[in-house]
């Protein structure tokens, strides 16, 4: 089974997807982390992020691997653990820029589809239900009010950034992700929409599991 979760930054996708994967024993694919890994490599190796060809080459040649350990989803970039290094605002912002490049997307989508060949997968990002796994069994779209999302992101950053600058950065990110030509963020046609503004993580997890259970029930019902 393939479950996709798309949505805006800080809408709760990652935390929810991770927990649903843990509860149901699914493989979790965090595609945003892959764009972030390419961004981090470019920053660390002083590659001009406006040079599309150079960045596309990076996305082709680097090795990205996920490993689940100690209740945490670890990401390795050329065998170096970068789980925490990719979580800065700078890396997120560069990731959003390089994610607009056609060949970067093509290379990463190929890697994602390869990972999706596993049994049961929950995959989260911006173009998963619309491009990467168009035929997914269950599609979810998550969103929440901008201020609520900014407060969540600020908590994640342990309040090292002021709220107004987080709001501005999220606004810019939303716009870049939704307006780009290549695979922009949009609601997949057959997605279930979840507004997480007033929901706790537990509520979000429960809702997603409910949608998956309903799908399984309907499928069994069809066979009867
Ligand atoms: O979900 P995130 O904040 O970790 O993602 C970082 C950036 O990567 C996001 O601003 C847009 C991009 N991205 C994308 O374009 N497509 C995806 N499937 C996942 C992320």
């Amino acid at each position: 089974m393939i479950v996709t979760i798309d949505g805006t930054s800080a809408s709760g996708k990652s935390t929810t997807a991770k927990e649903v994967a843990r509860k149901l024993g699914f493989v979790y694919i965090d595609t945003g982390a892959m764009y972030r890994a390419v961004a981090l490599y470019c920053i660390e190796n002083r590659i001009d992020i406006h040079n599309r060809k150079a960045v596309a080459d990076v996305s082709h040649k680097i090795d990205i691997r996920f490993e689940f350990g100690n209740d945490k989803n670890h990401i390795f970039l050329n065998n170096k653990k970068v789980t925490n290094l990719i979580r800065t605002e700078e890396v997120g912002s560069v990731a959003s820029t390089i994610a607009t490049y056609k060949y970067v997307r093509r290379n990463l989508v190929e890697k994602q589809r390869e990972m999706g060949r596993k049994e049961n997968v929950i995959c989260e990002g911006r173009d998963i239900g619309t491009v990467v796994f168009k035929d997914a069994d269950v599609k979810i779209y998550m969103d929440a009010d901008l201020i609520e999302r900014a407060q969540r992101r600020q908590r994640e950053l342990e309040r090292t950034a002021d709220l107004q600058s987080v709001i501005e950065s999220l606004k810019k990110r939303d716009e870049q992700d939704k307006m780009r030509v290549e695979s922009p963020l949009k609601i997949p046609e057959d997605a279930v929409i979840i507004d997480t503004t007033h929901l706790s993580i537990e509520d979000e997890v429960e809702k997603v599991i409910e949608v998956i259970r309903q799908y399984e029930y309907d499928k069994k019902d069809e066979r009867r």
Side-chain angles (χ1 to χ4, degrees), residues 3 12 28 51 60 63 82 88 111 115-116 137 150 161 165 167 181 188 191 198-199 203 210 216-217 224:
V3 177
Y28 164 56
N51 182 339
H60 177 69
D63 181 57
V82 293
T88 65
K111 290 183 205 283
M115 291 175 186
D137 304 283
S165 70
I167 290 175
V181 179
H198 303 292
L199 297 183
D203 293 337
E210 220 177 86
E216 288 174 330
Y217 179 84
R224 262 186 241 131

Side-chain angles (χ1 to χ4, degrees), residues 111-125:
K111 290 183 205 283
Q112 289 152 16
R113 289 193 177 135
E114 187 56 42
M115 291 175 186
R117 280 189 230 287
K118 313 251 167 63
E119 279 273 293
N120 289 323
V121 162
I122 182 157
C123 187
E124 163 255 308

